[in-house]
Every structure is written in structure tokens, then in C-alpha cells.
Amino acid sequence: MSISPEEIVDGRRIVVCVGSGGVGKTTISASLALGGARRGRRVLVLTIDPAKRLADALGVRSLGNAPRAIPRKVLDGLGVPPEGRLSAMMLDMKRTFDDLVQRFAEDEVTRERILENPIYQHASDALAGSAEYSAMEKVFELSEREDFDLIVLDTPPSQHALDFLEAPQRLLEFLDSRLVHLLLHPAFAAGRFGFRLFQRSAHQALKALERVSGVSFLEDVSEFLLAFEGMSEGFRERASLVQALLTGPESAFVLAAGPADESVAHATAFLDRLEESGAPVAGVVMNRLRLWPAAEVELPPKSQRKAAVASLAEALAEWNEGEEGAHRAAQAALSALDGYASMVQQDRVATSPLRERAQQKGYFWRPVPELPRDVHDLDGIARIANLVFETSREETAVGS
């Protein structure tokens, strides 16, 4: 028996919404967060979306690196009980990594040396293991606080399927790399005299770069690495804790996908990687799926098409007081239905392997139908949340 979205938001601490770009992942994340708030939980949804779509959808002017609460009056209108809360924030990657430096630096002098170092200022994103590592670090930091019962992470679309999950491991590999050991242990313990360890040709090339650019590259690298040396163990421990949290029982991964062939292929590959990594996958939300509005809606068979056109034309003529063209209108209407039926069938065929796999693995499967308009406000998010949380198993199977 598969787990339900209700069980996920009731029992987990972290929900990570993953998927490729353009599948409505930010909207799905917000709907999962709203669903948790409606069930009385204190929920935070964290986005890395630079386009600020989440802020617009939630009806707030802007989001920053601190949680911003949705007003109580708004939550009341969305069916959130008094004990439920919903907040949102947007990750500031640079500030998140600066906070790590503040945490692990040995003293104030070391902190200032790192934060003011030009190498750190230009390379802190890379040293953080990319935006995804900063996101994971922020989730871990928030999980240690008691402000929220549930944290929903809207991950960025990634060229590499598991950048967000593998980022802590990449940081560990960086800290344990031969390059870092050569530079930090113990070569640079000798301070600037450690530069003598560079090969003569490399040293000359870098000195030439300094002359051309005006940047004291060697000195800045030395200052940075010497200051960073004392923090490496703290970063290593933190990265291990972050990775353990994401793959542990407190977390759940929800895969957002679309019905297009390319999107299904990306989602399938994503699911492969998640399962291989041991990530706790909980469900799949198939967004913008073309479905019939009700299970009983069927097109007349081809053998009855002529009679169906005549019947519809008669009704149109009567409704339009005998207006000419009723027959052509009836043919056009049934032709449009034929076209939509073809698209419904196309989506059904394209998504069936992913649906069957979810059912076999015990993941929940939630088809969200294509809506007339893009979701860009709280009403739209509430509608998606209704479909994800309040639709019965039998209804979610319609057309899928």
C-alpha cells in the first residue's frame, strides 16, 4: 500500500520537491506546504528560484534569507486552522556560506580574514559546492530550530539530476582532495614561504597574471587557505550531517514531472538516481496532465458519428433559433473532441510506465490536470493542493 501525501506532511520534517525545469515544481512545492499548513503544521517553504515566482504566487512583495509569514487573515481564507502556519523564504547563497564561516572560524580575526579575502568573495559559491549545497545547509540549519514542524524545499532545475543531494559529498571530496592536502597540509603552514612549493613555471605564470591583472593572486590564495585550514573539520562534519538528514527517515522526496515525452524521460532518470542514492522517495506528482473531466465522458464510436453530428446539429440549430452553420459547428465540436481524446491518450501512454513504477514501489501518484490558466496566486496554489491532498485514489486514477 502506498504512502499518501497526508502521511508525508504529517510525519516528515523535510520534504524535497525535485524535477526538471518547466514542470511547475515551485507550484507543487507551495501546494505541498499549504497542504501541511491546512493539517495544522507550522510550515516553511524554501525556494532558490531567482525569478521570485513563489513570492508572487504567495501574494508577498518579496522574499529574503529570513522566513516571511503569510498573514493570518490570508491563511484563514485558505482553510488553515489556527494552529497552522505558512511561511516562505528565498535562499541567499552567499549569505548562507558566510554564516558557515562565522560558525566554524576559530576566532574573529580568522573570520574577517576569510570574509574580506578576494578569493573567498569571488569563489564562495564554488566552495559551497554550488547553490544546492547552500540550500541543503540552510535546510539543516532550519531543521535544528523549533520554529517549524515541516520544511518544504523547492530545488532548482539541475543539469545533473542529484546536484542538491550530492553537494555535501562533493564538498567532502573537495576537502579531502589531494590538492587541498598539498596546499594546506603542511605546505602552507609555513605561510607565504609555502609558495616555493609551486613549480617554478607555474609560479612564473601566476606572477605574470598578477602583473597583467593587478591582483595579488598568490598572496590572496595563501591568506585564504591559511585561514580556511582551521575550519575544514567543521565543514566536513557539517556536510556529513546534512547528507545524513536528507537520506534519513525524517525526509521525503516528491518528484514533479510533466506528461511530455522528454519530461517523462527526465523524471524516470531522476527516479533512477534517487533510488540508487538511497533517497527516501515518497511520491510523484504528474502536473498538467490532460484528462477527461469525468470518468463517464466518452466519445461516440465512429459508427455512430454521423448520427451524433446530426443530433448535435439539431440541438445547436434549436438553441440558435435555426441559425445556418449548425451542422458545421457540430462537426467542428466533435472534431475538437477527437483531437483532445488523442492528446488524453497520448499523455496516458507516455506516463503509464512512470505511474506503474510508482505503484509498484509504494509511492503515491497524483495526476494534476492541465488548468485553463497558469497558477500565479494563492487561489491557484489552493486548487492544486486540493487535487494533491483531497482527491480520492479512485478519482486520481481517472484518465491515468
Side-chain angles (χ1 to χ4, degrees), residues 197-217:
L197 294 176
F198 280 102
Q199 291 183 355
R200 187 174 187 83
S201 59
H203 184 272
Q204 291 175 342
L206 290 172
K207 293 302 291 184
L209 178 62
E210 288 182 4
R211 289 194 299 270
V212 172
S213 65
V215 176
S216 54
F217 186 78

Side-chain angles (χ1 to χ4, degrees), residues 176-189:
D176 291 331
S177 68
R178 185 171 181 269
L179 172 63
V180 171
H181 280 274
L182 284 173
L183 294 177
L184 287 177
H185 308 291
F188 275 83

Side-chain angles (χ1 to χ4, degrees), residues 114 117 119-120 127 220-229:
I114 294 176
N117 184 279
I119 298 299
Y120 170 80
L127 290 172
D220 290 337
V221 169
S222 174
E223 291 286 349
F224 171 70
L225 290 175
L226 281 169
F228 191 81
E229 180 180 15

Side-chain angles (χ1 to χ4, degrees), residues 275-311:
E275 291 175 350
E276 289 169 6
S277 70
V281 181
V284 179
V285 178
M286 181 57 66
N287 195 24
R288 302 180 185 133
L289 192 65
R290 289 170 291 201
L291 303 172
W292 285 118
E296 65 272 12
V297 175
E298 294 182 0
L299 285 176
K302 296 291 185 181
S303 60
Q304 300 176 14
R305 186 57 52 88
K306 186 174 181 180
V309 170
S311 177

Side-chain angles (χ1 to χ4, degrees), residues 313-329:
E314 182 178 352
L316 289 172
E318 182 178 347
W319 182 64
N320 288 299
E321 299 180 354
E323 182 179 338
E324 294 183 6
H327 185 77
R328 288 195 301 273

